Amino acid sequence: MICDDFAEFAAALRPMSALMGLDLGEKTIGVAVSDRMRGVASPLETVRRKKFTLDSVRLLEIAQAREIGGIVLGLPRNMDGSEGPRCQSTRAFARNMSRLTEIPIGFWDERLSTVAAEKALLEADTSRKRRGEVIDHVAAGYILQGALDRLRFL
């Protein structure tokens, strides 16, 4: 089930289930997960993209192991709020995932999430090499945390 409206996504979630946040890139997918109380997002891992079949198997393994009740995809809107080719790609990914799982899928505006993640890693004095290794799942954590904060007010 794909929910374009975030309130609809919130209503579709099972109580006391964790959420998974995804930051989709061309080469990688950043993955973050929440606790069951949906209070805190924690960066988990970066999945190197191969092809959709293999990527989805790994993501669904994580979802099953962590008893995920909803997936939040970062929607990479343009700065003016319009949707470009990257948004279309994200929506296509959501459609393909929805054919494989009953887990509700929602979207969260991810503008500047990677910038925020990069800034946090720089402030933590993380080396350039290490930043490259963790930036995607840290950005997924920012995306998921934004969605969790919004859920508190729905």
Side-chain angles (χ1 to χ4, degrees), residues 21 23 29-32 42-47 117 130 133-142:
D23 180 27
I29 302 172
V31 181
S42 301
L44 183 66
E45 71 177 77
T46 298
V47 175
R130 183 71 179 139
E133 294 168 355
V134 302
I135 189 72
D136 295 312
H137 58 270
V138 171
Y142 271 88

Side-chain angles (χ1 to χ4, degrees), residues 29 49-60 92-100:
I29 302 172
R49 292 188 85 164
K50 296 174 178 100
K51 57 184 191 177
F52 177 78
T53 309
L54 297 173
D55 300 343
S56 62
V57 165
R58 179 63 191 134
L59 294 173
L60 292 174
F93 184 90
R95 283 191 301 276
N96 291 335
M97 281 296 286
S98 71
R99 293 183 186 117
L100 302 176

